[in-house]
Amino acid sequence: MKNKKIIYSAVMLSEETKKRLLEEYKPSHNNIYCHHSTIEFRPTHVSHLPLGDVCALHITGLLRTDKIDVLLVDNPLSLNKYPHITLSTADGIKPFDSNSEIQNNQSLIVPLNDTAFGTINLHYED
């Protein structure tokens, strides 16, 4: 893994958590994700991260648009303006597009009060 580049650092959801969230907040688009909340995309260093630690993510809202389904979360480690978990995207839409959809659709966010747990980890290029 040392020679592989890190694509992102994140709070990675367990399969059990992923299953629960997908059942509770049923995605409306074909491309299902629901596997992480990004800490940083293409990080330059990760020595400050407590890799392997379990992290609680407070789910504060749900946004559904014609492009994405996304859960907004309090992720204290995230450098994103709007920390989130992308549940699903429409065809041709990338999970990264959740950021602009959240930015442009603030009035459509439905408040939630839930918690998801994940493990702080790294995702490497293939």
Side-chain angles (χ1 to χ4, degrees), residues 38-89:
T38 301
I39 295 170
E40 185 177 11
F41 183 73
R42 298 262 186 230
T44 55
H45 66 284
V46 295
S47 59
H48 64 289
L49 293 176
L51 298 175
D53 283 6
V54 172
C55 180
L57 300 172
H58 179 226
I59 300 170
T60 60
L62 171 66
L63 174 63
R64 292 187 190 278
T65 71
D66 60 342
K67 296 178 182 175
I68 57 100
D69 296 315
V70 63
L71 294 170
L72 284 86
V73 299
D74 284 335
N75 178 347
L77 297 171
S78 182
L79 299 181
N80 278 353
K81 183 173 183 179
Y82 301 106
H84 63 275
I85 298 167
T86 300
L87 295 175
S88 70
T89 66

Side-chain angles (χ1 to χ4, degrees), residues 12-30:
M12 306 288 193
L13 303 177
S14 68
E15 285 302 312
E16 181 180 306
T17 297
K18 178 179 176 176
K19 182 180 177 186
R20 178 183 74 82
L21 294 177
L22 291 174
E23 286 175 2
E24 193 161 335
Y25 307 107
K26 298 187 184 330
S28 57
H29 302 292
N30 293 335

Side-chain angles (χ1 to χ4, degrees), residues 94-111:
K94 301 283 186 204
F96 178 81
D97 294 325
S98 294
N99 293 298
S100 59
E101 285 297 291
I102 295 167
Q103 174 76 38
N104 297 327
N105 294 285
Q106 291 284 305
S107 64
L108 299 178
I109 296 171
V110 176

